Amino acid sequence: MAKEKYYKFSEYLKERFGCRVHKVSIDAGFSCPNKDGKLSKDGCIYCDNRAFSPNTRTPKTSIETQIESGIKIGRERYGAEKFIVYFQAYSNTYAPLDILKERYDVVRKFKDIVGISIGTRPDCVDEKILDLIDSYSKDYETWIEYGLQSIHDKTLKLINRHHTYEDFLKAVELAKKRNIKICAHIIIGLPNETKEEMLETAKALAHLKIDGVKIHPLHIVKGTKLEELFKKGKYKPLELDEYVNIATEFLEYLPSTTVIQRLTADCPKEFLVAPLWILEKNKVLNLIEKKLAEKGTHQGILCPAKA
Ligand code: SF4
């Protein structure tokens, strides 16, 4: 439950584990059906294609090496004592069960790992996959992170997601039957969405009582379809103040128990086309806190769902 203006992931981890916990992001070599040709080869319109090699992806360095180096950085730079391994790149449930198990099992080699978090598309899970993921919940805090982006199918179609809101609802139901926490990834500023439509996504997540949310501002990465639209004048990214206003209201609609795992985006300068305020991560976070303080409000104040 939030003690501050919004329920920060760092606060949650401290409460839950009693020490500093660092999330180690890895690329476990999985692919994505929206890029390898199963659903499409184009991917989502904002997704950067550069690092992608279809079908036969293997990690650039071993999963073990990536975890070792993430733990080292977490200890030295952030004073972390425990770690959550985040299977981040592409769709980390998109492979046969034996391969999934082999790659997830690497976490068992490290004694200070307390959690496992698996990022994927909502149409890339089924009962068997979630049973496998649930089997880790005996020993680890276990999260699944579903890329939803928006509850509006017209938007999902426009951004070439190749899944629907219904797919997300089914995936949520499957995870809720198990001991798996759910984090939804959403994007603010998607093409042709009004502020009201963006806030409808917050209200829907509130009703679903999702455990965690990652909120990202849409930004344009070089070489993407979104860059083409931007250059043709067919897409205009949000201004910083617009993002701050919408993100603040988004938080107001989410339950105070939903952990906010992210409130802005990371993009290396050399890949970013626009908006440039994305590079000022701390400024964005500070402005959202300032806005909440000025309004005298906080996460959950407008939550439509009963506790
Ligand atoms: S689902 Fe993820 S990895 Fe696949 S194309 Fe979309 S953003 Fe890229």
Side-chain angles (χ1 to χ4, degrees), residues 32 34-35 43-44 46-47 90-91 121 161:
C32 169
N34 203 18
K35 282 196 156 185
C44 306
Y46 48 80
C47 184
Y90 303 101
S91 302
R121 294 168 52 88
R161 286 290 297 177

Side-chain angles (χ1 to χ4, degrees), residues 59-307:
K60 284 190 192 67
T61 53
S62 74
I63 295 174
E64 202 167 340
T65 307
Q66 291 179 59
I67 296 176
E68 262 164 18
S69 99
I71 287 180
K72 189 164 181 283
I73 291 169
R75 279 196 212 287
E76 289 172 3
R77 200 176 293 167
Y78 306 109
E81 292 170 56
K82 301 286 178 193
F83 303 87
I84 293 178
V85 175
Y86 175 31
F87 289 78
Q88 180 183 28
Y90 303 101
S91 302
N92 293 272
T93 55
Y94 183 53
L97 275 178
D98 56 335
I99 293 180
L100 296 178
K101 182 169 184 327
E102 186 188 302
R103 296 189 189 180
Y104 301 160
D105 268 350
V106 179
V107 301
R108 297 200 182 275
K109 297 186 180 173
F110 298 87
K111 71 172 174 41
D112 289 326
I113 291 174
V114 291
I116 170 169
S117 196
I118 294 171
T120 194
R121 294 168 52 88
D123 58 350
C124 279
V125 291
D126 59 24
E127 299 271 3
K128 284 189 178 149
I129 290 171
L130 288 174
D131 279 345
L132 172 67
I133 294 172
D134 194 22
S135 69
Y136 294 86
S137 64
K138 289 195 288 292
D139 303 309
Y140 301 97
E141 167 146 318
T142 305
W143 286 79
I144 191 139
E145 303 193 23
Y146 291 136
L148 167 65
Q149 321 314 352
S150 166
I151 63 161
H152 302 288
D153 285 342
K154 59 147 186 139
T155 308
L156 297 179
K157 196 162 181 206
L158 190 69
I159 62 175
N160 205 42
R161 286 290 297 177
H162 279 277
H163 69 71
T164 60
Y165 178 44
E166 185 62 29
D167 290 326
F168 173 76
L169 292 175
K170 283 185 196 149
V172 166
E173 202 184 311
L174 287 177
K176 277 190 180 242
K177 286 197 283 185
R178 296 166 170 86
N179 201 13
I180 302 172
K181 289 185 181 291
I182 304 164
C183 178
H185 293 196
I186 72 96
I187 299 178
I188 290 178
L190 287 166
N192 297 353
E193 277 207 351
T194 62
K195 177 180 163 189
E196 286 64 37
E197 285 169 333
M198 296 173 211
L199 296 175
E200 279 167 18
T201 295
K203 292 175 202 171
L205 294 178
H207 283 295
L208 288 169
K209 297 194 170 69
I210 293 294
D211 303 288
V213 174
K214 282 186 179 171
I215 302 169
H216 309 82
L218 185 60
H219 56 282
I220 302 153
V221 174
K222 284 181 188 157
T224 59
K225 179 90 174 106
L226 190 61
E227 186 188 16
E228 283 173 33
L229 295 177
F230 174 67
K231 285 189 169 160
K232 285 182 194 154
K234 292 184 175 169
Y235 173 70
K236 187 176 167 296
L238 293 176
E239 300 291 343
L240 176 56
D241 62 332
E242 291 175 299
Y243 177 70
V244 167
N245 285 337
I246 300 169
T248 303
E249 279 192 55
F250 205 98
L251 291 172
E252 289 170 348
Y253 282 109
L254 292 177
S256 57
T257 47
T258 296
V259 185
I260 308 304
Q261 291 209 20
R262 183 173 266 280
L263 246 186
T264 182
D266 271 320
C267 182
K269 199 175 171 185
E270 59 277 22
F271 293 167
L272 183 67
V273 177
L276 295 179
W277 55 261
I278 292 287
L279 300 170
E280 296 181 90
K281 205 170 154 180
N282 286 336
K283 182 177 172 188
V284 177
L285 295 176
N286 290 338
L287 283 172
I288 293 171
E289 293 219 34
K290 192 166 162 236
K291 178 59 92 181
L292 287 164
E294 275 169 12
K295 287 173 79 180
T297 181
H298 54 81
Q299 181 181 337
I301 200 165
L302 298 176
C303 178
K306 297 215 172 17

